[in-house]
Amino acid sequence: AQSVSQHNHHVILSEAASLELGCNYSYGGTVNLFWYVQYPGQHLQLLLKYFSGDPLVKGIKGFEAEFIKSKFSFNLRKPSVQWSDTAEYFCAVTRNTGFQKLVFGTGTRLLVSP
Amino acid sequence: GAVVSQHPSRVICKSGTSVKIECRSLDFQATTMFWYRQFPKKSLMLMATSNEGSKATYEQGVEKDKFLINHASLTLSTLTVTSAHPEDSSFYICSASPQRTSGRMETQYFGPGTRLLVL
């Protein structure tokens, strides 16, 4: 079965530190990849997505992610985090076929201290 | 653009009653809507996929007679939790995917969620 792994469950950083959150998936075919963010008390918002093309994807709020097909990975990065980045981050994957079932990772809770 | 709303945002009900949750795509037409359940400190679990004008497709382990889904129009899907019990208490989230024009997979946009508490 298709699965998505986020190895970091909790991450604590100081402001201005660099961030990298890991995401690995198990499906061997062509995939579409997403990172969603859920700020405290708010709904899921799309940070960025990869369908095809340049494997380095830039999203909103200074986030980027790199798709490395050989490693089945789609890690999320930000060079300098802010206190307002405190949130839960979810990686999600869907097959590049007609059916759009999203499979979510377990999430990473990021706490940025001022 | 791409706003999805849910109503109500939270509901408390007595055990044995039914609760209806609405999911609306406000500024786009959604061929497909999805219903998820999120447990505390857990990820989202897909419950069912709802296509306009047809029966919903339920994930394994989800009781279709308990979680009734209706997708009557391209902007509205409803989830009815029938004969709710305390173990149904959870955070229910819907998402909607815009109507496809090219056959390419579209992004899902999520609603704010509905917190259900069954006493």
Side-chain angles (χ1 to χ4, degrees):
Chain A
Q2 186 176 347
S3 69
V4 180
S5 301
Q6 290 182 246
H7 305 294
N8 315 103
H9 299 294
H10 292 90
V11 173
I12 301 174
L13 294 173
S14 299
E15 274 195 316
S18 64
L19 169 72
E20 180 159 3
L21 301 181
C23 173
N24 289 89
Y25 61 94
S26 63
Y27 180 59
T30 304
V31 294
N32 300 307
L33 300 151
F34 305 82
W35 275 98
Y36 283 89
V37 61
Q38 189 172 29
Y39 296 103
Q42 297 189 26
H43 62 282
L44 277 168
Q45 299 173 43
L46 181 68
L47 264 183
L48 48 79
K49 60 187 177 184
Y50 172 80
F51 284 174
S52 63
D54 189 344
L56 185 61
V57 180
K58 293 195 183 299
I60 60 172
K61 304 186 181 186
F63 286 91
E64 65 178 30
E66 185 174 13
F67 171 49
I68 303 179
K69 189 174 181 180
S70 60
K71 294 185 178 180
F72 298 88
S73 70
F74 190 56
N75 293 356
L76 181 72
R77 299 193 293 249
K78 185 170 183 178
S80 177
V81 294
Q82 300 172 310
W83 175 78
S84 57
D85 293 324
T86 294
E88 188 148 21
Y89 293 81
F90 293 94
C91 180
V93 176
T94 189
R95 294 183 187 184
N96 192 12
T97 63
F99 188 52
Q100 304 169 40
K101 176 178 173 179
L102 263 179
V103 178
F104 281 87
T106 50
T108 297
R109 196 172 292 269
L110 172 66
L111 174 63
V112 180
S113 58
Chain B
V3 178
V4 176
S5 70
Q6 277 184 246
H7 178 79
S9 57
R10 56 180 68 216
V11 57
I12 302 172
C13 69
K14 292 182 180 179
S15 185
T17 60
S18 294
V19 175
K20 180 185 281 189
I21 303 169
E22 292 187 349
C23 176
R24 292 181 187 272
S25 56
L26 298 184
D27 50 2
F28 65 97
Q29 293 188 323
T31 313
T32 309
M33 288 184 169
F34 303 83
W35 287 96
Y36 295 84
R37 187 170 174 176
Q38 186 177 29
F39 294 95
K41 299 183 181 180
K42 297 274 188 181
S43 186
L44 281 77
M45 300 296 295
L46 179 65
M47 297 174 65
T49 303
S50 165
N51 289 297
E52 187 263 339
S54 61
K55 289 184 179 180
T57 302
Y58 289 81
E59 294 299 301
Q60 194 172 7
V62 178
E63 298 175 61
K64 60 182 179 182
D65 294 331
K66 181 166 189 62
F67 298 99
L68 299 178
I69 292 171
N70 183 274
H71 193 157
S73 76
L74 285 171
T75 59
L76 173 65
S77 176
T78 60
L79 168 68
T80 302
V81 183
T82 61
S83 187
H85 291 287
E87 59 264 28
D88 299 323
S89 298
S90 193
F91 195 53
Y92 293 88
I93 304 172
C94 75
S95 72
S97 193
Q99 194 167 18
R100 288 170 158 195
T101 53
S102 62
R104 176 181 165 142
M105 187 272 177
E106 295 287 350
T107 302
Q108 291 184 31
Y109 297 95
F110 286 81
T114 297
R115 191 164 298 283
L116 170 64
L117 177 61
V118 185
L119 302 176

